[in-house]
Amino acid sequence: MIDDRSFPDRASLEKALAEDIVRILSHAIEMRGTAVFLVSGGSSPRGVYNVLSQADIDWSRVYVALVDERWVSSDHEASNEMFIRKNLLTGAAAKAHLVGMKTSAADVHEGLAECEQRYAALPARPDVCLLGMGSDGHTASLFPHATGLEEAIALPVSQASQVKPPRCAAIDAIPSAVTGPYTQRMTVTLDYLSSARKRLLLITGAEKRSVYEMARAGVDISDMPVRALFGFPLDVFWAP
C-alpha cells in the first residue's frame, strides 16, 4: 500500500511531485468541476508550491485547505496560512480558494466548531493531500502523546452511521524542540486524511529518512503518529 519513490536531489523530487499534483487536480476538475487540495506548511514543500503556483490549470476551481495550523493569527510568521499565501497562492494559483483554520477564538478548543463548519462545507473527499513528517514522527499536527491525538486518529466504527465524523480536531501538543512555543494546534483528522483520493508524503534529508524507516519498523502510533498513514495507500517522495 506504500509506494516509495526516491530521487537524487530535491529539484527532481519537486518537479515530479508537482507534476503528479497537477495531474490529479486537472483530472478532478475535468471529472467533477472542482478539486480539493489539502496542503501542509513547513519548509520542505516550499519548492513544490513555487512550481505549482505557475501551473496551467483552472485554479479558480481549486479549493486549497490547510492540513493543520498553529493557533496564531493568519499574519503571524509561524502561520501556515501565511506560508501558503506567500508560496503557493501567487501567480496563476492566486485564483484558488483558500480555506484557513484559524478563527477569531483565542483558544483552539473554542475555535473548533467554526473550523469544523468550514471544512464540512468542502466536498466529501479531498482529491489530493500533501503531507510532511517531523523528526519526532508527527504528521499534520498529530503529535506524539498530544492531548487530542486519540480523538484525531479515531476512525468511525461504522461507515453506515448517519453522523458525519469530524474533519478537524483540536490538539494540545507536548512542548518540544519541534513544536516550539506553538503547542495549540488545529489539525484535520485521520478519517478526513484517509478519505483523500491520493495521499502524498514528502520527506527530505537523511535524518527524516531514518525516522521514517523507524516508523515503518513498527513503533506504536502514539509514539510516531505518522504510522497512522500506513494503513492506507500512500505515495512517499524522498530526496537527500
Side-chain angles (χ1 to χ4, degrees):
M1 298 177 76
I2 297 179
D3 182 12
D4 268 314
R5 299 177 61 182
S6 297
F7 297 84
D9 53 61
R10 299 189 186 188
S12 55
L13 178 154
E14 290 165 359
K15 181 176 182 294
L17 186 49
E19 287 175 351
D20 270 16
I21 293 170
V22 167
R23 175 180 53 79
I24 295 166
L25 294 177
S26 297
H27 179 72
I29 293 169
E30 180 182 354
M31 298 301 294
R32 291 176 289 280
T34 60
V36 178
F37 181 18
L38 297 185
V39 296
S40 297
S43 58
S44 296
R46 179 181 285 111
V48 178
Y49 295 150
N50 292 161
V51 175
L52 283 174
S53 69
Q54 304 305 317
D56 184 21
I57 63 176
D58 188 352
W59 284 101
S60 69
R61 296 180 178 270
V62 178
Y63 290 89
V64 174
L66 298 177
V67 162
D68 69 324
E69 181 64 281
R70 301 172 182 89
W71 208 246
V72 296
S73 63
S74 59
D75 59 354
H76 192 284
E77 62 180 7
S79 166
N80 282 341
E81 179 174 335
M82 175 63 73
F83 175 79
I84 293 300
R85 289 188 185 279
K86 285 183 175 181
N87 292 283
L88 175 59
L89 302 186
T90 62
K95 294 180 179 179
H97 308 280
L98 178 63
V99 181
M101 288 183 146
K102 180 65 172 69
T103 73
S104 59
D107 179 271
V108 68
H109 301 279
E110 296 173 1
L112 178 57
E114 182 179 340
C115 189
E116 180 67 32
Q117 187 175 33
R118 295 177 186 178
Y119 277 67
L122 292 169
R125 298 185 65 186
D127 293 289
V128 58
C129 176
L130 179 58
L131 294 157
M133 185 198 71
S135 57
D136 58 353
H138 86 271
T139 189
S141 273
L142 305 174
F143 281 91
H145 305 286
T147 300
L149 174 63
E150 185 175 348
E151 294 81 2
I153 65 174
L155 295 172
V157 175
S158 171
Q159 295 295 333
S161 172
Q162 297 300 308
V163 179
K164 291 184 179 180
R167 297 183 176 186
C168 302
I171 295 288
D172 287 293
I174 298 171
S176 70
V178 177
T179 65
Y182 311 110
T183 55
Q184 280 213 333
R185 310 279 184 119
M186 191 72 75
T187 187
V188 292
T189 61
L190 176 62
D191 180 73
Y192 193 51
L193 289 177
S194 68
S195 72
R197 291 182 170 87
K198 195 74 168 179
R199 284 162 297 280
L200 310 171
L201 179 63
L202 169 60
I203 302 172
T204 55
E207 180 188 8
K208 287 190 177 181
R209 182 70 194 191
S210 177
V211 172
Y212 168 71
E213 296 292 353
M214 189 182 305
R216 287 291 305 273
V219 297
D220 191 83
I221 286 178
S222 61
D223 292 326
M224 288 186 143
V226 70
R227 276 189 53 78
L229 301 177
F230 299 164
F232 308 94
L234 180 69
D235 289 359
V236 180
F237 287 70
W238 178 80

